[in-house]
Structures are given as structure tokens and as C-alpha cells.
Amino acid sequence: MCDILLVEDEEGVAKVYSALLHGEADKVGWLCTITICDSIEGAEMRVKQHKYDAVILDLKLVDSTAEQTSSDIEQLAKKWPPIIVLTFNVQESFRRKCLLGGAEDFITKSLMQAYPDIVLERIYNATVRHERQKQTA
């Protein structure tokens, strides 16, 4: 079972990503629940109320710019489940900033659309790495 919080402010896009991930999870017999919210504020509230296995976080949201969200990852990573960044931005410097800030992985939206199976595997790997890090801390 995997319980994912998808933070994406474009409703149609969020529904497509959710359907893609559900479809891939069904193929491998993995029960996957995906909750969608559209803002950092909404995600904060949901993370406090529910234990998610992972958060897929779009960087550009209704209440935060991509630059602001990427800067906030360090603080979010301390109190959230593993964060997988989701963005159109493919610049290496941006990717590095997010990963050094505490994101477990960095996924482009084009990868999500073309290869949801790989994305699902990377989500799983991120949850395992995160759990292992908690055990050794």
C-alpha cells in the first residue's frame, strides 16, 4: 500500500498524473491511494492530519513560486514524508538545489507523462531511502 499526496495546482494535470500512477500501480498489484491538493498551505494541513508515504510536490503553485518552493524544501523535508519534486524545470542547478535542500528525488513533468512506471518505481525507492535514513539517524 502506498499513500501519496500530490501537490499540483492545475486540476486537470493532477487528475491525469493520478490516473497514470493508479494505472501503473494496478499493473504491479500495488494498492496506491493518491490525495490531491493545490497549495503548500493545503499540503501542510494534510501532512499534519494524515501519514503519507510520499509527497509529490509541484514547485510552482497558487501560493508559492517555483523559486520560493525550492527554497522552502529544506524546512519542509524536516517535517514531511519524502518529497519528490515535480517540475518542468530541467536545469541542473535547480535540480541540485532541490536535492541538496532535502528532496528525495526530482522528476520532470515530461517523465511523469511519458514513463509513469519509472516514476512509480522512483517514488517507491524514495520511500525506502527515507525510511532507512530515519532508522540510521
Side-chain angles (χ1 to χ4, degrees), residues 5 14 16-17 19 29-30 39 41 57 106 126 131:
L5 177 61
V16 168
Y17 293 163
W30 198 22
S39 66
E41 184 179 334
L57 177 63
F106 185 97
E131 191 61 35

Side-chain angles (χ1 to χ4, degrees), residues 107-119:
I107 297 169
T108 62
K109 289 186 174 188
S110 58
L111 180 70
M112 174 73 92
Q113 293 164 355
Y115 302 102
D117 56 327
I118 293 172
V119 171

Side-chain angles (χ1 to χ4, degrees), residues 84-134:
I84 296 102
V85 169
L86 180 66
T87 184
F88 277 121
N89 191 330
V90 295
Q91 293 176 337
E92 182 58 33
S93 60
F94 203 68
R95 175 186 173 104
R96 184 173 176 77
K97 178 181 180 179
C98 292
L99 293 172
L100 287 173
E104 288 287 334
D105 208 340
F106 185 97
I107 297 169
T108 62
K109 289 186 174 188
S110 58
L111 180 70
M112 174 73 92
Q113 293 164 355
Y115 302 102
D117 56 327
I118 293 172
V119 171
L120 191 64
E121 183 177 327
R122 288 171 66 172
I123 292 168
Y124 176 79
N125 291 343
T127 63
V128 171
R129 277 193 310 273
H130 189 77
E131 191 61 35
R132 185 177 57 222
Q133 289 167 357
K134 283 190 344 189

Side-chain angles (χ1 to χ4, degrees), residues 4-71:
I4 298 170
L5 177 61
L6 172 59
V7 187
E8 167 62 65
D9 62 343
E10 295 183 43
E11 184 180 356
V13 171
K15 287 180 180 180
V16 168
Y17 293 163
S18 179
L20 287 170
L21 291 173
H22 274 122
E24 290 305 318
D26 288 347
K27 287 180 188 176
V28 296
W30 198 22
L31 181 59
C32 189
T33 303
I34 301 173
T35 303
I36 299 170
C37 78
D38 66 356
S39 66
I40 293 286
E41 184 179 334
E44 287 272 15
M45 190 173 63
R46 283 173 176 78
V47 167
K48 287 178 185 174
Q49 296 171 347
H50 186 79
K51 184 184 179 308
Y52 292 97
D53 297 305
V55 175
I56 301 174
L57 177 63
D58 184 14
L59 293 180
K60 187 177 177 195
L61 298 162
V62 294
D63 62 348
S64 183
T65 65
E67 191 60 40
Q68 182 181 354
T69 304
S70 65
S71 295

